[in-house]
Amino acid sequence: MIHTVHCPSEFRNAVLQELGFSPKSYPFYTLYQNEKKRENGHYLLFERPNYYDFGIADYSIDHPFAIEFQNEDLCMRFGIVYEGTTKFQLQNQPVSSFSPSSFFVIEKNIIGKQVWKRGQHFHGMEISIYPAYFEEVIKPLFPLDFFSNFEENYTYHYLPLEIHTVFHRLLKLAETDQLNPLHLESALLQCIAILAQNIQHSKENAFANQRYYEKILIGSNRSLSFHAEDIRSIQKAHDILLNNIANPPTIEMLSKELLISTQKLKAGFSHFYHMTIGEFSTSLKMSTSATLLCTTDLSVAEIAKQVGYTYPSNFIKKFQQTYSCTPLKYRERERNS
């Protein structure tokens, strides 16, 4: 069966219908599940209708289906896909895939089709924000036109690391049934502030650099030309590092796997993400460990091991350099606040 939908909520409802999920309301969220096939997973929806919604998906596909979309509404969507791949095709464009990574997209007048296959498992989180929220809540506080800073209907495979930390906290709160509208709205405002900081500070931000690429200056008088395939390889390197925090591959391993020279990989990554590959891996380790300190009772040694440090002393030293305090002081400060 092929559904045709005309707005984001219709799209979501069509997917849930195909999964056979029915809603069950709780004080702060709605749980969608197939009562006859609970092994197929669930979907959690937290929302302020017409302003924003936050969805957590963890479900399996038991039969193939497709959805055609003709969405005129303007919408900002961003999130993290941990597992799952689907094929989609926008009007007058080649077939693309939506795979595990972070993502950010501004949608408007989007027309296309998305396909799901039997046996696939999906796990991820997504925030959708609608124009009314920006007009009524954000604009009086901070008059920046967010939507005009991004190309419509182009998926950026990037989110600032600080937003990853926000998503991890939301997931932990939801898993422990503690996520309420105040948590969600404060997290949403924090994400918007981080995005604003990224696009305001420089036109050469990580979002703009992913879309508009050309020659990159190497040294004082030499440049490298980057083509579409080079950009895709650099984005894949970013996602591979994101999914291998404890044991990241070396630059040589990434270069060989992604069929891109080490020079282009290093120069392109630094240009597009404003940090070296080593700095990015360390930032991931630190942001993940900070999240674990806030959301678990794991010891410092256990957390050090989870993020790839053999010796806790090395982990503590790097953590202090990053956050200007020891891991235990950080945990105490965050929990008290």
Side-chain angles (χ1 to χ4, degrees):
M1 179 179 180
I2 297 180
H3 300 262
T4 300
V5 300
H6 300 88
C7 66
S9 60
E10 287 185 7
F11 184 92
R12 179 181 64 234
N13 291 337
V15 174
L16 295 173
Q17 179 182 332
E18 285 291 342
L19 293 169
F21 284 7
S22 55
K24 186 175 182 180
S25 295
Y26 290 84
F28 300 132
Y29 63 91
T30 303
L31 168 65
Y32 292 84
Q33 201 169 34
N34 187 329
E35 292 296 333
K36 297 180 180 179
K37 299 180 180 178
R38 291 200 171 190
E39 66 277 9
N40 283 3
H42 63 272
Y43 179 81
L44 289 176
L45 177 64
F46 301 79
E47 64 177 336
R48 183 177 171 186
N50 301 318
Y51 289 93
Y52 59 79
D53 52 65
F54 172 54
I56 303 175
D58 192 355
Y59 54 73
S60 299
I61 307 299
D62 62 6
H63 68 278
F65 63 92
I67 296 177
E68 293 180 346
F69 45 87
Q70 300 175 13
N71 299 342
E72 296 181 359
D73 295 349
L74 183 62
C75 174
M76 175 187 287
R77 297 194 301 112
F78 57 95
I80 303 172
V81 178
Y82 295 110
E83 184 180 356
T85 301
T86 64
K87 298 291 185 181
F88 69 92
Q89 184 172 23
L90 302 184
Q91 190 177 51
N92 301 320
Q93 293 187 25
V95 175
S96 301
S97 63
F98 197 85
S99 56
S101 69
S102 54
F103 67 91
F104 178 95
V105 60
I106 300 291
E107 293 182 346
K108 185 179 181 182
N109 296 324
I110 188 168
I111 301 174
K113 179 181 179 180
Q114 192 162 343
V115 177
W116 288 259
K117 293 184 178 180
R118 181 179 180 180
Q120 294 176 319
H121 182 80
F122 292 89
H123 181 208
M125 299 175 283
E126 175 181 300
I127 288 175
S128 298
I129 311 176
Y130 306 103
Y133 190 74
F134 282 95
E135 285 295 320
E136 298 176 26
V137 179
I138 303 301
K139 198 170 181 179
L141 299 171
F142 192 77
L144 174 67
D145 184 2
F146 280 83
F147 293 98
S148 66
N149 283 279
F150 304 94
E151 181 162 340
E152 292 178 359
N153 302 330
Y154 177 81
T155 301
Y156 300 85
H157 294 287
Y158 167 78
L159 283 176
L161 290 176
E162 298 94 331
I163 292 182
H164 282 261
T165 301
V166 173
F167 269 106
H168 294 157
R169 287 179 178 175
L170 289 176
L171 180 60
K172 187 63 179 179
L173 286 168
E175 286 176 343
T176 55
D177 200 24
Q178 297 180 73
L179 182 56
N180 63 49
L182 290 177
H183 286 132
L184 180 55
E185 187 137 358
S186 63
L188 190 146
L189 289 169
Q190 187 177 1
C191 288
I192 292 173
I194 293 166
L195 291 169
Q197 185 178 33
N198 267 255
I199 61 178
Q200 268 199 319
H201 278 197
S202 171
K203 291 184 178 179
E204 296 298 315
N205 59 73
F207 290 103
N209 281 335
Q210 281 192 54
R211 191 64 184 105
Y212 303 106
Y213 48 86
E214 45 186 34
K215 290 185 178 180
I216 295 176
L217 191 65
I218 305 295
S220 58
N221 58 1
R222 184 165 173 251
S223 62
L224 290 174
S225 295
F226 284 75
H227 305 290
E229 191 59 38
D230 297 324
I231 306 305
R232 282 193 286 271
S233 293
I234 292 166
Q235 291 172 346
K236 287 179 183 177
H238 171 275
D239 296 338
I240 289 170
L241 293 167
L242 193 62
N243 290 316
N244 294 275
I245 294 172
N247 188 29
T250 65
I251 292 173
E252 289 71 23
M253 291 166 65
L254 286 170
S255 173
K256 185 176 181 180
E257 179 179 348
L258 300 172
L259 304 177
I260 183 174
S261 71
T262 56
Q263 186 181 40
K264 274 194 172 183
L265 178 58
K266 290 190 290 185
F269 197 99
S270 295
H271 180 75
F272 292 116
Y273 293 106
H274 294 270
M275 64 181 77
T276 66
I277 288 175
E279 289 169 342
F280 179 69
S281 291
T282 300
S283 294
L284 285 175
K285 291 175 185 290
M286 292 300 101
S287 64
T288 301
S289 61
T291 300
L292 291 172
L293 286 165
C294 295
T295 59
T296 74
D297 291 320
L298 293 173
S299 69
V300 170
E302 289 171 321
I303 291 173
K305 185 177 180 180
Q306 282 204 21
V307 297
Y309 284 87
T310 304
Y311 301 105
S313 59
N314 291 340
F315 165 70
I316 293 170
K317 182 179 179 181
K318 178 57 69 174
F319 194 93
Q320 283 182 295
Q321 291 173 353
T322 304
Y323 293 102
S324 301
C325 66
T326 66
L328 290 179
K329 284 287 186 182
Y330 183 89
R331 171 178 275 169
E332 180 183 2
R333 185 185 70 194
E334 291 295 306
R335 289 188 173 178
N336 287 338
S337 64

